[in-house]
Each structure stands twice: as structure tokens, then as C-alpha cells.
């Protein structure tokens, strides 16, 4: 099963998850993002309609699909065009209301009430109703579909979702437990589709564009959905997603004017783009994080002293400079720095080779030898870290593995492995990374106090009280957890001069906001 949050080439905002107000049983009014300011020229000073917007992606997989809840390869990107969700990512990578008009939760977040906006339509003209919400939730979590992303909503009681009226449903959480991060889990792969949906025969959604043509491994073409829920959008008449086999050919196409945007460029591609007058780079300072996962259920990482030693021997500035080409910032072994409950009082861990050696000697691991599994995109960081470990007398043998092997049967048994995950809020990220029942817990981290704090925080709707719980939980992660998080990455996109509406964000998706991008005359 693929990691549901690691596809790089891939809520309520505010009250429920921490913008300041205590959320009880009252309804939360929905809100939408304001249109992104366009980088317009004096001769063309605002968004205009018309034209074909062309996005270049690196995939070329013949197995790519259109399944809203089980996307394969570039199916995730196509989903941003075809499907709309109850929530969507804000520019700060937090969920905010989209198709949902109002959301309320009970006192301990064990039941959610979700109400749709009025007069929403699917591409084929059917009005979106509560029946479609229930169908979509049950399809995503259906064991027979076996979506790798079902784990993100595994705590909902799918068999007991209740239709309250034509626009409203109530979603209970299993065993009456609290589950505040429901919106975060639902937002990426929780597209709302009609009850007659079929990903092959009837790939219908409510996204900004309707499907016109799809050739797996080559291209997909979409046309504007005139009844999209955001009035006046999208701006382009058509959207074309073109697939390339490698980064080099994609950048060449951008420079030649054959595509308009290229998502997630590698650092070495920035210089030629900056030197070319027809395109520019857009740098988004995200909090997607790179690190290494240490298997605490296996030697040598059963010993917390070894885990601490590895965190101390990591030269983080060098990792950012060499593995990310300088496109990022150092991290402090903790995720979710933008979460309002984040413990910013924990001091940055220093590079301390002498202390690392001392801890290894105390643990009886002065001549340690181990293997580091480097998954897709992780080889550079693994090689840099291996060289750093040698300075502490540790031999790290890097094993490069392909995606199928990395995410296959061996996934949970690597002694140490590279990782990359999207930035997100604390409870959601923990629920899929290293907390109890985490969807992809390669660290196998188990700590009774941490588990108790996490479970309590899941149902604590008061932000101030939840902050105290998270602060203590993060201190435990920093002291004895299984993650070595060395850096936060920037996402660098290539943008043709004729494209307006793109702006840098904290999210990972500025060039996937297909309803906001437009073409200059």
C-alpha cells in the first residue's frame, strides 16, 4: 500500500482545529479562498477567460486512472480538475470549507454534522445531495475497493452515517471516540461523486473541469464546467495535462512554449529556467518534511540513546544544501510547525558529533553497521547522511529501492528508511505517521504516555487545552521518538509568462489550483 501522504509529485479552518475559538456544538459558517492575486502585466491587468491551460507532469504511466478514491500515479493531479471535496486546502495547507456550507461537531468530536451548499451540481446536471455524500464516504472507506487512502478516514463509522435532510448528514466516529482531524483526512482523496459514479464508464464529479479525453500515459483534456460552485471560475476554456517520461523533456517543453506550468522542479532545473525570458520559477515555502524513520522495534533503534545519537550526528544545513539544493530549511525532528498547537519552545537540536559518539558508546554501538533503505527521491539525502555517519564511526549502507519495493511487503520492516511527507496539522500527521493506529508507522514507535496524550487531544475541541496536550506529546517525540526530521522543502514550479493567477503558498499545490489560473492575451 502506498504511503497516503508521501506523493510529492502530487475542515473547517479555524475553530475546529485551532485558529483560536473553542468549538462546541455550534455551526461553523463556510468560507472560500479569495481569488489569488494575478501577476498581471500593465497591458493585461486581471483574470481573463478563454484559452487552453497546459500542465506538464512527469509520469507517463499507462496504469494512470481517473478514480476519485483510488487514484494511480497522475490520477491524483487529474482529480484536482475533475472532483470537488467538502473541504479544500488553503494556501497555508489547512482545510477550509468547499462544497460544505456548514459543519458542526459535538463536544468531544465523536460526531460530525455536515451540510452542503445550496444548488450544487455534478458535471452531468444532477443536484448534489446527502445521498451522494453518504455514497462517497462509503465508497472511499469500502474494504472491497481497498483504497490505500481509506486509512485516512478509518475512524468514521461508515455503516451508521445518517441522512438528516437532502443536504445534511451526520458522521459518527467509531466507538464514540473523538476524531478532530476528519477534515484533513478527507480533503485530498475525499472527492464527492454521484451515486451513479463509475471511474471508467461515468467519471463524473463537481470539479472546475469536465473530462473530454483521456489517454493513459499521454494526455488528458478537460473543458470548463460552467456550473462550478465558485461563480465565474474556472477561467480557461480547456485544461490539458500532458505526461512526460522525465524531467529534462518536461523542462524543454516549458522553455519551448509547449506547456504552461511544470510542477515540482528539481533544483538543477532552476538556473536554465531563470535564464529564459519566457518562463519563471515560483517558490513555495512548504512544510513538507524530509527525514529518516528509525524502526524502534528492531535493533539498534530499540535503544533511545541510539536514536538520539543519530539525530545529533545529522548535519542538517548540509543535508538541506546538498540533498535539496538549498531549496528548504532545517527542521527539528518535529512536524507541523504551522499548527497553532505546535511546541515552538523546544530548542533546535544542534549538530553534536562528540555527544553522538558518547551516546553510541554508552549503548554499546561504537562500531555500528546498518542498512538505510532509500525510497524514490531519497537517494541524495541517504548518501549525504551516510557520509556524515562515518564521522561518528557508523557505517550506513545505502540500499536504493524502487517504489514497488519501498511500499511493498518490506515497508514496515526496514531498519531505517528515508521519508517525505506533506506538511499538515499535528493530529492528522500523527494519525498517519507515529501515533496509535497510524496508517503508516514505519518507526513502530510505542509510548504509553504519548499514546494517552494523543488520544485525549483527538477529542479536545478547546484549543488552549489541546495545546498543552500536544506540547507534552511533541516533547516526547523530540526526546525519544523514532523520527529524524532534518528539513522542510520548498516546492519549485515552472510558470510560463502567459500564465496569471499563480502565487507562492505554504501549500504544495499552487499550480494545481486550476480554477484560479488564467491565460493572458
Amino acid at each position: 500500500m502506498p504511503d497516503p501522504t508521501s506523493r510529492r509529485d502530487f475542515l473547517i479552518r479555524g475553530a475546529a482545529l485551532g485558529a483560536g475559538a473553542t468549538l462546541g456544538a455550534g455551526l461553523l459558517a463556510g468560507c472560500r479562498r479569495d481569488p489569488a492575486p494575478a501577476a498581471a502585466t500593465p497591458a493585461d491587468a486581471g483574470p481573463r477567460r478563454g484559452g487552453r491551460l497546459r500542465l506538464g507532469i512527469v509520469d507517463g504511466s499507462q496504469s494512470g486512472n481517473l478514480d476519485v478514491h483510488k487514484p494511480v500515479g497522475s490520477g491524483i493531479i487529474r482529480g484536482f480538475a475533475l472532483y470537488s471535496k467538502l473541504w479544500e486546502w488553503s494556501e497555508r495547507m489547512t482545510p477550509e470549507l468547499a462544497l460544505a456550507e456548514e459543519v458542526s461537531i459535538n463536544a468531544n468530536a465523536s460526531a460530525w454534522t455536515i451540510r452542503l451548499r445550496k444548488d450544487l451540481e455534478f458535471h452531468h446536471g444532477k443536484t448534489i445531495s446527502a445521498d451522494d455524500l453518504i455514497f462517497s464516504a462509503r465508497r472511499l472507506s469500502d474494504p472491497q475497493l481497498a483504497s490505500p487512502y481509506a486509512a485516512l478516514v478509518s475512524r468514521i463509522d461508515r455503516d451508521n452515517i445518517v441522512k438528516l435532510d437532502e443536504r445534511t448528514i451526520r458522521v459518527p466516529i467509531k466507538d464514540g471516540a473523538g476524531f478532530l482531524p476528519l477534515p484533513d483526512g478527507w480533503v485530498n482523496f475525499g472527492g464527492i461523486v454521484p451515486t451513479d459514479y463509475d471511474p471508467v464508464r461515468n467519471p463524473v464529479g463537481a470539479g472546475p473541469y469536465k473530462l473530454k479525453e483521456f489517454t493513459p500515459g499521454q494526455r488528458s483534456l478537460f473543458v470548463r464546467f460552467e456550473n462550478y460552485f465558485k461563480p465565474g471560475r474556472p477561467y480557461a476554456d480547456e485544461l490539458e495535462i500532458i505526461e512526460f517520461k522525465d524531467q529534462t523533456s518536461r523542462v524543454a517543453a516549458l522553455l519551448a512554449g509547449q506547456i504552461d506550468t511544470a510542477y515540482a522542479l528539481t533544483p538543477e532545473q532552476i538556473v536554465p529556467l531563470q535564464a529564459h525570458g519566457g518562463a519563471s520559477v515560483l517558490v513555495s515555502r512548504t512544510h513538507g518534511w524530509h527525514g529518516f524513520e528509525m524502526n524502534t522495534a528492531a535493533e539498534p533503534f530499540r535503544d533511545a540513546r541510539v536514536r538520539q545519537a543519530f539525530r545529533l550526528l545529522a548535519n542538517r544545513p548540509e543535508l538541506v544544501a546538498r540533498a535539496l539544493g538549498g531549496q528548504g530549511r532545517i527542521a527539528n525532528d518535529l512536524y507541523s510547525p504551522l499548527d497553532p498547537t505546535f511546541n515552538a519552545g523546544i530548542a533546535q537540536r544542534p549538530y553534536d558529533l562528540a555527544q553522538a559518539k558518547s551516546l553510541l558508546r554508552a549503548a554499546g554501538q561504537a562500531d555500528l553497521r546498518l542498512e538505510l533503505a532509500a525510497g524514490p527521491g531519497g537517494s541524495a539525502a541517504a548518501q549525504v547522511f551516510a557520509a556524515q555517519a562515518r564521522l561518528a564511526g557508523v557505517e550506513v549502507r545505502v540500499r536504493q529501492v524502487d517504489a514497488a519495493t519501498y511500499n511493498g511487503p518490506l515497508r514496515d520492516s526496514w531498519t531505517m528508511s528515508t521519508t517525505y511527507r506533506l506538511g499538515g496539522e499535528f493530529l492528522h500527521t500523527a494519525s498517519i505517521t507515529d501515533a496509535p493506529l497510524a496508517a503508516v508507522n514505519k518507526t513502530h514507535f510505542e509510548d504509553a504516555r504519548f499514546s494517552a496524550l494523543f488520544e485525549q487531544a483527538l477529542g479536545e475541541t478547546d484549543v488552549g487545552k489541546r495545546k498543552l496536550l500536544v506540547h507534552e506529546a511533541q516533547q516526547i517525540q523530540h526526546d525519544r521518538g523514532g523520527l529524524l526530521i532534518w528539513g522542510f522543502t520548498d516546492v519549485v514550479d515552472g510558470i510560463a509568462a502567459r500564465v496569471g493567477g499563480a502565487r507562492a503558498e505554504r501549500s504544495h499545490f499552487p499550480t494545481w489550483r486550476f480554477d484560479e489560473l488564467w491565460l493572458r492575451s
Side-chain angles (χ1 to χ4, degrees), residues 37-50 497-501 518-521:
T41 63
D44 196 352
R48 62 180 293 274
R49 294 170 70 86
R498 77 179 195 137
V499 175
W518 51 275
L519 300 171
R520 300 187 174 97
S521 57

Side-chain angles (χ1 to χ4, degrees), residues 12-94:
I12 309 158
R13 172 64 242 143
L17 292 173
T22 299
L23 177 63
L27 290 176
L28 295 178
C31 59
R32 289 189 289 112
R33 300 175 71 249
D34 293 329
T41 63
D44 196 352
R48 62 180 293 274
R49 294 170 70 86
R52 176 182 292 186
L53 178 68
R54 302 161 300 171
L55 169 68
I57 63 174
V58 177
D59 187 2
S61 170
Q62 297 295 327
S63 63
N65 68 359
L66 299 170
D67 198 312
V68 60
H69 300 132
K70 195 177 182 179
V72 174
S74 55
I76 294 175
I77 300 177
R78 285 187 289 272
F80 274 66
L82 270 177
Y83 306 112
S84 288
K85 294 100 174 177
L86 294 171
W87 295 270
E88 63 185 10
W89 290 121
S90 75
E91 63 184 39
R92 289 178 61 83
M93 198 63 186
T94 54

Side-chain angles (χ1 to χ4, degrees), residues 183-470:
D184 304 71
W186 211 337
V187 65
N188 256 358
F189 307 102
I192 304 304
V193 291
T195 55
D196 60 350
Y197 174 80
D198 184 276
V200 177
R201 297 186 299 273
N202 191 34
V204 169
Y209 289 92
K210 301 187 296 184
L211 181 68
K212 183 176 182 180
E213 300 173 12
F214 173 47
T215 305
Q218 298 181 32
R219 67 189 285 271
S220 40
L221 182 63
F222 307 85
V223 296
R224 180 170 54 224
F225 177 38
E226 297 293 350
N227 292 330
Y228 183 52
F229 78 97
K230 299 180 183 180
R233 299 196 211 171
Y235 299 114
D237 293 332
E238 296 179 311
L239 168 69
E240 184 177 18
I241 299 177
I242 304 171
E243 302 184 36
F244 294 85
K245 299 294 184 182
D246 54 66
Q247 295 276 11
T248 301
S249 60
R250 183 176 64 151
V251 169
L254 180 61
L255 294 175
Q258 297 169 350
I259 60 174
D260 300 308
T261 64
Y263 169 71
L265 301 174
T266 56
E268 60 269 18
Q269 296 168 332
I270 296 175
V271 173
L273 268 183
Q274 290 177 327
H276 190 278
S280 60
V281 296
L282 183 71
V283 180
S284 293
R285 293 172 62 85
T286 80
H287 282 89
W289 47 276
H290 287 273
F292 304 109
E293 292 175 297
M294 300 175 285
N295 187 345
T296 64
E299 297 298 343
F301 294 121
R302 293 182 193 274
D303 193 323
R305 292 171 296 183
V306 177
R307 303 198 294 272
Q308 284 292 62
F310 270 56
R311 286 189 276 256
L312 288 167
L313 63 81
N315 186 328
R316 297 159 200 262
E318 183 183 32
L319 280 160
V320 170
R322 296 181 59 191
L324 299 181
Q327 294 296 326
R329 292 87 61 213
I330 65 170
N332 191 29
D333 302 315
L334 296 170
Y335 43 74
S336 308
L338 293 183
D339 192 303
T341 66
F342 182 77
N343 191 346
I346 298 176
Q348 174 66 48
R349 178 169 277 119
Y351 172 63
D352 192 334
L353 192 60
Q355 180 64 11
K357 289 180 178 180
S358 176
L359 286 168
L360 290 171
R361 286 194 299 270
Q365 298 288 355
D367 298 310
L368 183 58
R369 306 288 183 268
L370 59 81
E371 181 179 85
L372 169 55
S379 180
Q383 296 293 347
V384 172
F385 182 77
Q388 294 175 353
R390 280 196 293 273
L391 299 177
V394 176
E395 180 184 330
V396 174
R397 301 181 301 277
V398 177
R399 176 184 175 185
Q400 181 67 53
V401 295
D402 59 24
T405 304
Y406 181 77
N407 292 311
L410 294 175
R411 185 195 67 187
D412 294 332
S413 62
W414 303 119
T415 300
M416 186 178 188
S417 57
T418 60
T419 189
Y420 170 81
R421 309 227 176 176
L422 301 183
E425 298 191 340
F426 174 79
L427 291 177
H428 171 64
T429 305
S431 70
I432 54 179
T433 304
D434 57 351
L437 305 178
V440 187
N441 187 356
K442 292 193 293 179
T443 69
H444 300 278
F445 179 57
E446 293 185 9
D447 183 280
R449 180 57 181 165
F450 175 79
S451 297
L453 290 164
F454 174 76
E455 291 293 342
Q456 190 176 347
L458 281 178
E460 180 53 73
T461 58
D462 183 284
V463 179
K465 294 178 180 178
R466 189 166 72 252
K467 188 173 185 177
L468 296 176
L469 300 169
V470 173

Side-chain angles (χ1 to χ4, degrees), residues 152-169:
L152 300 176
V153 292
S154 62
R155 296 200 180 204
I156 69 171
D157 188 350
R158 64 185 300 273
D159 295 326
N160 290 297
I161 300 175
V162 178
K163 176 180 176 180
L164 300 179
D165 60 40
E166 287 303 310
R167 292 167 48 209
T168 312
I169 64 172

Side-chain angles (χ1 to χ4, degrees), residues 90-115:
S90 75
E91 63 184 39
R92 289 178 61 83
M93 198 63 186
T94 54
E96 62 186 13
L97 298 180
L99 295 182
E101 177 181 70
E102 297 175 333
V103 175
S104 65
I105 58 177
N106 63 357
N108 69 345
S110 63
W112 292 72
T113 300
I114 302 171
R115 185 168 179 80

